[in-house]
Amino acid sequence: MEQEKKWLSLPVLRSMIQNSFRVLGIVWEKNKGAVIALAFIFLVVSATPFWQSGARALLINELVRLAGGALVTPYLMALIIFLVLSIFVPSFLFTVQSYLSRLFWFFLAETFELLMIKKKGEIDIAAHEDPRRMDLFTKVSEQGIWRLQNFVDRQFYVLQNIFQALIASAVLLYAQWWVFVIILIGSIPELIAEARYGWRVWGIHTARAELRRRFFDVKSHFESLPSLTELRLFQNIPYFLSLVKELFGTFQREERAAERRRVVHRIASLLISEAALAFAAVWFILEVVHGNLQIGTLLFLLASMGDLRQSISGLFANLGRQYQDSLFVTDVFAFLDIEPVIQIPQKCISPDPQKTPEIVFEGVTFSYPGTTKEVLKDFSLRIPPGEKVALVGVNGAGKTTVVKLLCRFYDPTKGRIMVDGIDLREIDLEKWYAMLGVLFQDYARYHFVVKDTIALGRITHPLSMKRVREAARASEASVFIEEWEKAYEQMLGKVFTEGVEPSVGQWQKLALARTFYRDPRVLILDEPTSSIDAQAEAKIFEKLEELPKDHTVILISHRFSTVRHADQIVVIENGMITEQGTHDDLISRAGTYMRLFSLQARGYR
């Protein structure tokens, strides 16, 4: 019951007004000329119905006066010209209005799309990974752009409705004030019906955000070829289809109920408003019968009544839809107003880009936001410049978390990370990232030309084909690239003309080539060869060993054959370092490392 009352609350209405000003401010800043031009054409168009009905009324009154006289007076000719113009000019204005509105719609799509993409790029990785924000992200992703476009575009129609209602009100107030009052009162139920509907729709999307995420997740398996292949082979298509149908039905059941309520309320509100209009029309007709009103004037007043009814109805309907969209626009602004999780100091320290730094974890303890489990516990590790360090351990031990902290996706709960004696929290992140080359297990797949895909590793520098080829050879990607018809000019992605679809292993090699092309001071690889064959893997790690001695490498791998040549192997268990040393040292200790190494080695016998 409390939810039902909130739709008419002052804070929600205040929020709609604030959203209107804020979103118009964004558009005004981007393109003042478009806003002015569109507002002007909408205002002019709003007056055209009165021009047309007024021209007809004057002409009819004049014709009644001249009936039977067979005279064509100059005044009559002027009225005929006035009528003809009232037919042709509005058509021209409507065409211009439609054209400008379409251009404005394209402008809004680009403006808001870029605004949302820019914000997504600015939001901390920590915020993207925070499950508490998932509902907001889902609503904004599904509803954000088109709701914003509608919200701005509809404000011009609201302006037109208001101006049209003001003209009609002035006419009817001059003729008979009470006619205006009853039409206005009769239209209010329509606004209430639209507002209640808008609140229900937003409430459904808010309450069912997780359900919708589940729906799109299950549906995505029919859009991915690997998933679809597995569904067919495992004979799971009927099962997944039933899941989609069930999720679809669950969500739409509430939407259908909201639509039914809307129809009932809308019919009731229309009956009230049309009854008010009919009563006023009958009164004016009786005035003509009694000789108090001319026929042309009657037609003008009836048209003005219809225009007032239509403009108020349109205004209330548009305000109701604005109210509905505003609830979603509020979510968009909540998204745009997300504050950084990682606080950047005003005066940052820039690391020396020509010097590989020493990295030290000092008593680092860390729990992910919203959880109490300590993923790392009093974690201390020193990585001298140029050292090749391997982090090993079972899944969930905390290896990838170490990398995320080093990339400063998060800050330690306790302890600190030092880079050449400087707390990472005081370092300029962009300058720090310029020194890093990181390849996570979930890497990006860019559907670009091969050379551009690799050169994305250092896009701030002009593309160098020499470095592209060197990076491709280092990652063993050159083997298949040079077999393709267009080699480094080959388009990636079957969805594009003449594009090829690399295998999983080939995609990983391309991602690795991109990292090599970056030529970072600190190279971080998280399972970089998980999808690559053993022969190619061996060659890749030979290339890693050939890297300049002043380049640090941090390697995470479950394949112990790939880490045995590291200068330092760090065994992580339950977020703590339990063993540390070279391969030979750890084998001699006969601990966890030796046990895991022996288990893998046994599998190759």
Side-chain angles (χ1 to χ4, degrees), residues 186 264-278 309:
V264 171
H265 293 155
R266 186 161 176 76
I267 290 173
S269 63
L270 283 173
L271 287 174
I272 294 171
S273 60
E274 294 301 330
L277 199 64
R309 167 71 186 87

Side-chain angles (χ1 to χ4, degrees), residues 151-167:
F151 192 70
V152 176
D153 190 58
R154 197 179 293 114
Q155 293 195 40
F156 292 95
Y157 288 96
V158 169
L159 178 67
Q160 180 175 323
N161 293 148
I162 290 172
F163 196 64
Q164 203 166 10
L166 288 174
I167 297 173

Side-chain angles (χ1 to χ4, degrees), residues 359 389 391 399-400 402-404 406-407 432 435-440 512 515 520-528 552-556:
I359 299 169
V389 179
L391 306 180
K399 305 183 297 298
T400 300
V402 171
V403 175
K404 288 182 178 180
L406 188 54
C407 295
W432 175 233
M435 299 175 67
L436 297 181
V438 186
L439 180 62
F440 283 101
L512 195 55
T515 311
R521 285 284 165 181
V522 180
L523 180 62
I524 304 172
L525 304 174
D526 189 350
E527 297 289 353
T552 297
V553 178
I554 300 173
L555 172 66
I556 298 175

Side-chain angles (χ1 to χ4, degrees), residues 134-148:
M134 287 299 103
D135 286 352
L136 177 63
F137 288 175
T138 298
K139 284 191 290 183
V140 169
S141 177
E142 290 180 19
Q143 304 282 330
I145 302 296
W146 70 271
R147 292 281 186 182
L148 274 170

